[in-house]
Amino acid sequence: EIVMTQSPATLSVSPGERATLSCRASQSITSRLLWYQQKPGQAPRLLIYGASTRATGIPARFTGSGSGTEFTLTISSLQSEDFAVYYCLQYNNWPFTFGQGTKVEIK
Amino acid sequence: EVQLVESGGGLVQPGGSLRLSCVASGFTFTTSWMDWVRQAPGKGLVWVSRINSDGSSTSYADSVKGRFTISRDNAKSTVYLQLNNLRAEDTAVYYCRVWVADKRDDYWGQGTLATVSS
């Protein structure tokens, strides 16, 4: 099973600042990575697929990058609605595996 | 509009069973692979199971293999997850999920809560 490790566990950021979230795979997953945002009581919302392609309707302030084992989600200027938990998911090998999540909180 | 509506959750004793259902609409169900993902209270997401478009191929997370069974009825646009020999650690919200290729997006249901407790 591929282990996905996200860092940091919690990120405290002020509105308008940049947030950088990391996700590392225990072996190469090429670019088969998704990023999700989840708010309390809601289902996850897809942000990025194929490591770097924004999903439908996702604002340009969300950028995904990386390949192989190292991936990054950057939120260029945090808005109030961006405070949430973010998960990466690899879909290169079964079982698909999620990272443990990064909580982005208001500083 | 793509919709996934789960049902079937509830309170069950350890060792018991539940059958979850997910009714789909708004996309071509018969050509779509379907997934179940779960989330224990206050915890992260875990991919549970996947089924291909005609039901001939299924996959399971190790933690549920041999206890859970995924199936589908394409005539009813419904995917099922049969949960047997339930344990306390199976307590979670279970989500149905699909990637819709022609929309290049994925969709989730609202989730159904399964609680395993005596």
Side-chain angles (χ1 to χ4, degrees), chain B residues 51-103:
Chain B
I51 188 167
N52 71 345
S53 58
D54 66 5
S56 62
S57 176
T58 58
S59 301
Y60 300 92
D62 286 346
S63 58
V64 307
K65 201 174 294 183
R67 300 187 299 122
F68 290 10
T69 303
I70 191 171
S71 62
R72 64 191 295 158
D73 185 336
N74 282 352
K76 295 182 178 180
S77 296
T78 302
V79 61
Y80 304 98
L81 189 67
Q82 178 70 39
L83 288 59
N84 294 333
N85 191 19
L86 282 160
R87 307 166 180 167
E89 56 266 33
D90 296 317
T91 294
V93 173
Y94 286 76
Y95 293 102
C96 177
R97 177 264 185 192
V98 64
W99 170 264
V100 180
D102 59 359
K103 298 182 186 297

Side-chain angles (χ1 to χ4, degrees), chain A residues 1 34 36 38 41-46 49 54-57 87 89-90 94-100, chain B residues 35 37 39 43-50 59-62 95 97 99 103-106 108-110:
Chain A
E1 175 175 310
L34 307 179
Y36 286 98
Q38 189 179 33
Q42 297 183 14
R45 173 195 182 195
L46 181 66
Y49 64 91
R54 275 187 295 276
T56 305
Y87 294 94
L89 167 80
Q90 71 80 20
W94 186 265
F96 299 165
T97 43
F98 288 93
Q100 78 280 18
Chain B
D35 304 291
V37 177
Q39 186 169 36
K43 302 296 185 183
L45 298 162
V46 176
W47 212 283
V48 173
S49 187
R50 158 165 274 216
S59 301
Y60 300 92
D62 286 346
Y95 293 102
R97 177 264 185 192
W99 170 264
K103 298 182 186 297
R104 296 183 182 180
D105 207 344
D106 83 353
W108 296 61
Q110 82 288 353

